Amino acid sequence: MSLIAIAFWNCNSKTSGSEGTTYTAEQMKDNPLVQESTLPYFAPDFTKIKDEDFQPALEYALQVETEAIEKIANNPEAPTVENTLVEMEKAHELIDRVSNVFYALTGANTNETLKKLESEMAPKFAAHSDNILLNDKLFQRIKTIYDNREELKLEGEDLKLVEVKYQDFVKAGANLNKEEKESLKGINSQLATLENEFGQTLLEAANNSAFIVRDTAKLKGLTSSEINSLKVEGKAEWKIPIQNTTQQPLTQSMDDRKTRENLFMKAWNRTDGGEFSTLDIINKIVKLRIEKANLLGYPTYAAWNLQDTMVKTTETVDDFFAQLVPGTVKAINEEEKVLQEKIKSDGGDFELEPWDWTYYAEQVRKEKYDLDEGQIKPYFELKNVLEKGVFYAATKLYGITFKPRTDIPTYHPDVLVYELFEEDGKPLGLFYGDFFKRESKRGGAWMSNFVTQSHLLNKKPVIFNVCNYTKPAEGEPALLSYDEVETLFHEFGHSLHGFFANQKYPSLSGTSVARDFVEYPSQANEHWALHPEVLKNYAIHHQTGESIPQTLIDKIKNASKFNQGFAYGETLGAAVLDFNYHSLSVMDKDFKVNVFEKESLKEDNLDLKNVPPRYRATYFNHVFGGGYAASYYAYLWTEMLALDTGKWFDENGGLNRANGQRYRDMILSQGNTLEYKEAYKAFRGKDPGVEAILENKGFD
Ligand SMILES: [Zn+2]
């Protein structure tokens, strides 16, 4: 199939790029990104790829897709799935391949050249996607197929592809008339500017409104190395940078109550009025999002945004929240009592305030649940955790096996490569693990594909996981904390979703699913980290070879139940705020962010004095600066699916091949080919319920 596509590009060698630069197929004949790799699984050939190959390859790949789309849109033949949608899938192959490698490197191994190219390409990618989604001729062809889908007797992936593409176009405004489309473009561009401004303002606020201390007595409780790292050079000043959440991590060890309060208030008010105020921006964004939703035929932004998700309706999300509130609040009240008692027993005569919470919680944690990382880490050696934990669980569940491949080139010497095989020995795909922190890598952990699985394009998955573990000194073992162990299981859960993809069409394949579904398989895989059989196999002392003692396992388990009311309450508060803003259908003239925020939390019984939301609107970058508007709920929703799935495994015999196969067949291998809700219900035997969350957190 890909050969056909290459021949097709060659016929269109005369093209013009967005800035008049043209690239010909001839010029690309030695470009290792444009030319298909000859390595196993079409793995990118990092022995050949150089930084300077990216710019021409990206530009050329965009040209190729643009031309192909024009050709599809102008095809004189009547539209069919084959001559329209299948051609679109093929047209996307090259840009998908080139950009997969590009973004893998900009995330995990970047440099000045790639950074510069990344910011140059961002607006080009945005314009490219707009040009496709607002191409009316193309949309009319898709619409014709969609409208006739019954007469055409479309089924299976063909039907799903038509539905998904039609919805993508409609969601982006393809059904609007010319005038409305212009209005929408105007709104989108204003929103993009405001969202960018929001993010920039937060950054400025963070850089310019750090909390300054002029007397180290106020920092009592912090370690001397923490204090040293805050010191401003040449001045008798200590500067605490404001983190993006409401709670500031350092308050948990600050003995001076007034300093805790001042730091908290500084963070709380960082962008609420004053020089770095975001209040106006929020007003404008909320208003524009309502206008956008109305233009697209929806009463609220949330309703518009949910149309292609698992939950589908705003009522589902409101119900979900409502069911979570009582248990969470009850747990918070109980935790509050414990902390208040701790204050009293320490000789304090004051009422608990939000800036006291993490401080006293830390004291209680140390007394009751102290998990000494130094004691645990020797049992969690990276390669053991990976091969004898993460891979072992996958073998037990899915029968798949793993073989190291030292012959596959990588972009950094630390990257490990494994080949995966099915139970019957058939090849399944390639897995790259890039685990250590370095300066060229952004923070966090993630999974992505170099090659997306697709039967149409004859591709098996090539997948990578990136983490940020501390690299040990030469000859020393890489030892992980328990949180880091969980991250490894999490990211490999995404990988399994990618490896078991079994789709014809790449745009329906594997992890190409809704936001309120994509974090489900990853979190579900965390279930196996503490499973006794798995744990026994991987948690082995790197020096003595002994298995982790039960007392330590119990400590890990107990600690995971501690302070959950607070932690969950913070996140739930943020999710509810996000959703309430985007459930507005009108905005009063005298709309005030602060008033709205307080009232809307109150209405949902979440106006908790001591547990404020993890983010207020004024610094909620996911929602007002990024792409998580009306979507923050998805974190909690997918966690529910994952925990509920863990329950299903526990109720049905746990870690075995039959259970793994069922989960693989019904969920992991389905990509975006089924209705999420129905697929889940079929697997679980019932709808997901909040009980799984309440139980896991120890709420009742
Ligand atoms: Zn994830």
Side-chain angles (χ1 to χ4, degrees), residues 512-527:
S512 308
V513 295
R515 182 164 278 161
D516 63 359
F517 200 76
V518 75
E519 290 295 331
Y520 157 40
S522 51
Q523 296 186 79
N525 203 47
E526 292 174 23
H527 182 70

Side-chain angles (χ1 to χ4, degrees), residues 362-593:
E362 183 59 13
Q363 311 282 318
V364 174
R365 192 189 67 82
K366 274 186 183 155
E367 279 172 21
K368 289 194 180 164
Y369 307 95
D370 202 13
L371 251 188
D372 181 356
E373 290 287 352
Q375 243 186 325
I376 291 173
K377 279 186 161 186
Y379 294 95
F380 296 148
E381 192 273 320
L382 172 61
K383 254 192 154 173
N384 267 342
V385 179
L386 181 69
E387 295 180 352
K388 296 179 177 170
V390 175
F391 290 173
Y392 174 81
T395 303
K396 288 279 161 183
L397 290 162
Y398 313 109
I400 58 174
T401 55
F402 301 79
K403 190 178 106 189
R405 288 286 303 248
T406 48
D407 58 324
I408 303 284
T410 61
Y411 55 85
H412 191 280
D414 286 347
V415 178
L416 304 173
V417 184
Y418 294 85
E419 184 172 10
L420 276 64
F421 300 91
E422 294 282 12
E423 197 166 34
D424 62 7
K426 286 203 184 101
L428 178 60
L430 280 183
F431 172 74
Y432 297 56
D434 178 3
F435 298 118
F436 297 127
K437 197 190 302 222
R438 58 177 169 263
E439 276 194 7
S440 59
K441 196 189 267 190
R442 68 175 156 90
W446 62 96
M447 163 273 187
S448 193
N449 285 63
F450 282 129
V451 180
T452 306
Q453 180 279 335
S454 154
H455 297 308
L456 175 73
L457 305 172
N458 201 17
K459 294 286 178 351
K460 290 184 187 298
V462 178
I463 288 174
F464 57 93
N465 279 177
V466 182
C467 299
N468 265 286
Y469 304 145
T470 303
K471 190 176 175 173
E474 193 64 37
E476 297 287 317
L479 303 179
L480 307 184
S481 69
Y482 179 68
D483 279 352
E484 290 172 329
V485 169
E486 241 178 22
T487 303
L488 205 62
F489 277 87
H490 178 103
E491 297 309 330
F492 198 72
H494 285 303
S495 299
L496 289 169
H497 199 190
F499 279 120
F500 295 150
N502 188 21
Q503 277 68 53
K504 179 177 178 190
Y505 299 125
S507 61
L508 301 179
S509 175
T511 54
S512 308
V513 295
R515 182 164 278 161
D516 63 359
F517 200 76
V518 75
E519 290 295 331
Y520 157 40
S522 51
Q523 296 186 79
N525 203 47
E526 292 174 23
H527 182 70
W528 306 110
L530 278 184
H531 186 275
E533 189 186 333
V534 181
L535 194 63
K536 202 176 91 224
N537 201 57
Y538 78 84
I540 298 161
H541 198 287
H542 73 101
Q543 284 164 323
T544 66
E546 279 165 38
S547 284
I548 191 166
Q550 190 58 41
T551 49
L552 275 185
I553 299 174
D554 293 342
K555 274 190 177 181
I556 296 173
K557 286 188 177 164
N558 285 335
S560 74
K561 297 261 192 286
F562 177 66
N563 208 33
Q564 288 298 302
F566 173 83
Y568 202 74
E570 268 198 314
T571 313
L572 182 59
V576 164
L577 269 188
D578 164 41
F579 211 70
N580 289 353
Y581 273 102
H582 296 102
S583 297
L584 286 169
S585 54
V586 282
M587 225 175 146
D588 298 336
K589 263 199 246 71
D590 54 349
F591 182 86
K592 291 226 164 25
V593 165

Side-chain angles (χ1 to χ4, degrees), residues 101-335:
V101 180
F102 179 60
Y103 289 113
L105 295 196
T106 58
N109 203 32
T110 197
N111 56 43
E112 291 311 314
T113 310
L114 294 181
K115 274 187 214 163
K116 190 166 162 273
L117 185 56
E118 192 181 14
S119 40
E120 279 169 18
M121 290 311 296
K124 292 185 185 180
F125 271 104
H128 180 74
S129 135
D130 274 356
N131 286 340
I132 295 174
L133 288 170
L134 295 174
N135 181 326
D136 193 53
K137 278 188 189 165
L138 182 64
F139 174 64
Q140 291 310 325
R141 293 181 72 86
I142 297 170
K143 187 172 185 307
T144 304
I145 303 167
Y146 178 81
D147 289 343
N148 294 303
R149 61 196 187 282
E150 275 170 34
E151 293 90 287
L152 291 167
K153 297 201 166 54
L154 295 182
E155 53 180 27
E157 273 193 53
D158 285 351
L159 176 61
K160 189 69 185 183
L161 185 66
V162 174
E163 289 170 346
V164 166
K165 289 291 166 187
Y166 177 76
Q167 187 162 36
D168 285 351
F169 275 72
V170 170
K171 194 175 180 189
N175 254 337
L176 302 180
N177 66 33
K178 219 170 167 193
E179 210 172 285
E180 291 165 333
K181 270 185 191 161
E182 284 310 308
S183 311
L184 181 63
K185 274 188 194 168
I187 294 174
N188 282 342
S189 121
Q190 287 181 64
L191 276 172
T193 307
L194 287 164
E195 286 160 5
N196 185 48
E197 201 184 318
F198 185 89
Q200 294 297 334
T201 309
L202 285 196
L203 215 59
E204 277 173 48
N207 291 336
N208 293 295
S209 58
F211 180 68
I212 308 281
V213 173
R214 296 198 169 80
D215 175 6
T216 46
K218 293 189 169 147
L219 298 176
K220 196 168 162 279
L222 303 189
T223 65
S224 53
S225 89
E226 277 170 333
I227 294 176
N228 286 338
S229 71
L230 302 174
K231 180 83 171 53
V232 180
E233 246 191 63
K235 286 188 186 170
E237 270 183 15
W238 290 262
K239 187 171 151 182
I240 302 176
I242 303 293
Q243 305 294 315
N244 55 358
T245 47
T246 294
Q247 289 289 348
Q248 301 298 300
L250 287 180
T251 51
Q252 84 170 30
S253 29
M254 282 179 167
D255 293 337
D256 186 57
R257 186 161 189 248
K258 193 67 198 167
T259 310
R260 291 201 302 267
E261 179 181 350
N262 290 341
L263 174 58
F264 177 90
M265 291 312 291
K266 182 99 188 172
W268 182 252
N269 290 318
R270 72 191 90 167
T271 41
D272 184 354
E275 193 182 348
F276 304 107
S277 178
T278 52
L279 294 171
D280 255 10
I281 307 176
I282 296 168
N283 268 291
K284 287 179 190 155
I285 290 178
V286 173
K287 195 159 172 281
L288 281 166
R289 284 179 181 163
I290 297 172
E291 274 177 43
K292 177 173 173 165
N294 291 167
L295 190 58
L296 290 161
Y298 288 84
T300 66
Y301 187 85
W304 169 78
N305 191 50
L306 295 186
Q307 58 186 294
D308 52 1
T309 60
M310 177 170 178
V311 296
K312 286 226 160 71
T313 66
T314 55
E315 290 75 27
T316 310
V317 179
D318 287 330
D319 278 356
F320 174 59
F321 288 152
Q323 289 174 56
L324 289 167
V325 169
T328 309
V329 171
K330 189 167 171 231
I332 287 172
N333 291 339
E334 282 159 17
E335 289 168 8

